[in-house]
Amino acid sequence: MAENFKKSYRFAYLSSLYITIVLTLALGVFLYTQSILNPIFVIGFVLVCYAICFFIIQYRVERFIYRRVRKIYDDIEMLDVETIEDTPVTTDMRTLIKEVEKFAQQRKTEIETLKIREDYRKEFMGNVSHELKTPLFTVQGYILTLLDGAMKDPAILDKYLNRANKGVERLIYIVNDLDMITKLEVGDLNLNYTGFDIVELVQSVFDLFEMKASKKNIALTFDMNYTEPIIVHADKERIQQVLSNLIVNSIKYGKEDGTTEVSIEDLIRNKVIIRVTDNGEGIAQAHIPRLFERFYRVDKSGSRKEGGSGLGLAIVKHIIEAHHERIYVESDYRVGSEFSFTLEKVKKFPVVDVSTKTS
Ligand SMILES: Nc1ncnc2c1ncn2[C@@H]1O[C@H](COP(=O)(O)OP(=O)(O)OP(=O)(O)O)[C@@H](O)[C@H]1O
Ligand SMILES: [Mg+2]
């Protein structure tokens, strides 16, 4: 540890200077009263006195700092603090105070972050149990009614079993979303990058939700006719999930006879931006900053028509950020919403596979 020791001579300089001045003055007065004041002797005294004081003070300071302050450094190191570990032990009090203050500030910020995380965790647990309770109680209700004798009627048996099954499906849906969000948050989700045609993927998502859209007579369209494929570099399955969540939202919160339009535009630096626009109920500005939080829903009442757990957009944001891309939202209440995200485009010219050529 001795190598990691930064000496400061400031304290010894000044202290020796003060002592030398005081002693020289005292000596000068004494010699003067005795009428034997000799300037050469005084100068010699100044030099010797200063040198002796300097070495003694510096030696004592170093020992003091080294023993006591080193212990403080060691104690702090015990807390596993990398920042302090790297800094040399300094004998300069001002630097030392600054370092300790910096250390205290860092700990304070760390504790505050932990507190925020703890509150977040508590809120998360509360939300999870709340979301799971509703479908669980529904399922239990149907099963108990059946056990109470309703199962003797085959028509009711069939109806209630179907409803209980719907409840179970809802539970599975929430648990899957939770599983996905946990994986995304701990960075456990390995992205499987490939090059694929985003136009084709959007079309396949349209096909998937055509039935759902037709129930509200919502048209799923592109803004123009994309004749050429647009190849992007991303995890196809995850991007399909992003598109599904955004398109399902646009249907769920869209108005009857409305439209969901998808556009794919070139952006600077080899990027494309994919926009999903609807003319549905829109979102009031006050809700926008919190929209991507997990469990955040604009309409929190239990009577809402479209039952969602508020995890969809949180998942979408995580997936896009895992790709190091960005997601944007613009919305006007009662006018409509536009969710857009960027992706990396693959260069148009295909790479020739040299390995297949034989010489
Ligand atoms: N296109 C949209 N138009 C209007 N409101 C929207 C739109 N998309 C999302 N929202 C609002 O944002 C909230 C959060 O959306 P999110 O997709 O995260 O959750 P959800 O749809 O309620 O549930 P989940 O997607 O988990 O089934 C929704 O409850 C809804 O109020
Ligand atoms: Mg949703």
Side-chain angles (χ1 to χ4, degrees):
M1 284 296 169
E3 325 81 63
N4 210 13
F5 183 48
K6 198 170 104 198
K7 290 184 186 180
S8 161
Y9 300 102
R10 200 183 141 82
F11 182 75
Y13 278 148
L14 291 174
S15 304
S16 320
L17 186 70
Y18 297 148
I19 294 170
T20 311
I21 290 172
V22 171
L23 289 183
T24 311
L25 279 176
L27 182 74
V29 171
F30 175 72
L31 294 178
Y32 182 73
T33 54
Q34 302 298 311
S35 308
I36 48 167
L37 186 61
N38 178 348
I40 297 186
F41 177 74
V42 174
I43 291 170
F45 174 81
V46 166
L47 294 176
V48 172
C49 177
Y50 187 83
I52 293 174
C53 287
F54 180 82
F55 284 116
I56 294 177
I57 293 169
Q58 183 63 22
Y59 173 73
R60 291 294 306 146
V61 163
E62 279 180 18
R63 278 189 66 85
F64 173 80
I65 297 287
Y66 212 71
R67 280 217 195 119
R68 313 260 168 95
V69 178
R70 178 73 240 178
K71 190 171 177 314
I72 300 178
Y73 272 78
D74 286 345
D75 289 349
I76 293 175
E77 271 181 33
M78 278 195 322
L79 297 172
D80 231 11
V81 184
E82 286 158 19
T83 45
I84 288 275
E85 263 175 43
D86 296 340
T87 50
V89 177
T90 175
T91 59
D92 180 12
M93 279 299 153
R94 221 186 284 171
T95 319
L96 184 69
I97 291 168
K98 256 193 222 150
E99 266 172 26
V100 172
E101 272 172 1
K102 200 171 108 198
F103 166 76
Q105 189 56 43
Q106 277 171 352
R107 292 318 85 157
K108 207 174 143 206
T109 326
E110 217 166 80
I111 291 167
E112 273 162 14
T113 320
L114 285 176
K115 269 191 201 147
I116 294 171
R117 254 191 237 160
E118 176 61 12
D119 290 347
Y120 201 52
R121 194 190 63 82
K122 278 187 201 148
E123 194 194 324
F124 180 66
M125 294 306 285
N127 280 328
V128 170
S129 51
H130 176 80
E131 286 303 324
L132 294 180
K133 250 186 325 198
T134 322
L136 257 181
F137 288 162
T138 316
V139 173
Q140 190 191 34
Y142 286 122
I143 292 175
L144 287 178
T145 318
L146 287 176
L147 287 174
D148 272 354
M151 65 180 171
K152 288 185 186 115
D153 181 340
I156 291 185
L157 177 68
D158 188 66
K159 192 163 123 192
Y160 280 17
L161 278 180
N162 270 317
R163 287 187 186 172
N165 188 40
K166 281 250 161 60
V168 174
E169 274 171 9
R170 171 103 196 104
L171 277 171
I172 293 171
Y173 174 84
I174 297 172
V175 171
N176 279 341
D177 270 5
L178 280 171
D179 190 40
M180 163 71 69
I181 214 157
T182 315
K183 277 189 185 148
L184 284 162
E185 280 183 2
V186 294
D188 219 15
L189 199 95
N190 291 327
L191 293 179
N192 181 19
Y193 279 92
T194 51
F196 60 90
D197 180 8
I198 186 77
V199 180
E200 191 193 305
L201 190 70
V202 173
Q203 186 57 56
S204 72
V205 177
F206 278 170
D207 295 345
L208 214 61
F209 297 109
E210 207 184 338
M211 282 272 282
K212 195 176 172 72
S214 68
K215 281 186 191 148
K216 280 173 100 172
N217 200 23
I218 290 179
L220 304 177
T221 61
F222 280 104
D223 65 321
M224 57 178 251
N225 193 13
Y226 291 90
T227 47
E228 297 271 306
I230 301 171
I231 311 293
V232 291
H233 181 63
D235 184 323
K236 189 174 179 182
E237 210 181 306
R238 301 284 161 242
I239 298 301
Q240 168 158 12
Q241 200 173 358
V242 167
L243 285 167
S244 302
N245 278 351
L246 294 180
I247 289 168
V248 167
N249 275 353
S250 77
I251 300 170
K252 274 198 325 193
Y253 309 108
K255 60 170 191 224
E256 296 269 341
D257 306 321
T259 319
T260 294
E261 192 181 89
V262 173
S263 71
I264 305 153
E265 268 173 56
D266 277 339
L267 261 192
I268 42 149
R269 279 195 291 143
N270 233 24
K271 300 258 179 200
V272 281
I273 185 160
I274 295 114
R275 298 180 211 273
V276 180
T277 315
D278 66 60
N279 52 3
E281 64 188 53
I283 306 155
Q285 287 305 308
H287 297 287
I288 298 225
R290 302 198 56 192
L291 216 56
F292 293 99
E293 283 176 25
R294 45 190 188 191
F295 296 112
Y296 192 81
R297 281 187 311 241
V298 172
D299 180 6
K300 291 173 189 65
S301 65
S303 62
R304 64 187 191 281
K305 287 172 280 159
E306 301 288 355
S309 53
L311 288 171
L313 286 179
I315 292 175
V316 164
K317 186 165 186 266
H318 273 302
I319 294 176
I320 296 300
E321 282 178 356
H323 281 81
H324 305 292
E325 298 292 345
R326 308 203 58 177
I327 176 142
Y328 308 92
V329 55
E330 273 177 45
S331 190
D332 278 325
Y333 186 51
R334 289 180 199 277
V335 178
S337 316
E338 181 185 284
F339 287 83
S340 52
F341 60 95
T342 57
L343 281 183
E344 201 180 295
K345 211 164 61 158
V346 172
K347 287 191 190 74
K348 269 185 186 152
F349 311 104
V351 182
V352 181
D353 189 358
V354 190
S355 63
T356 56
K357 288 183 182 170
T358 45
S359 53

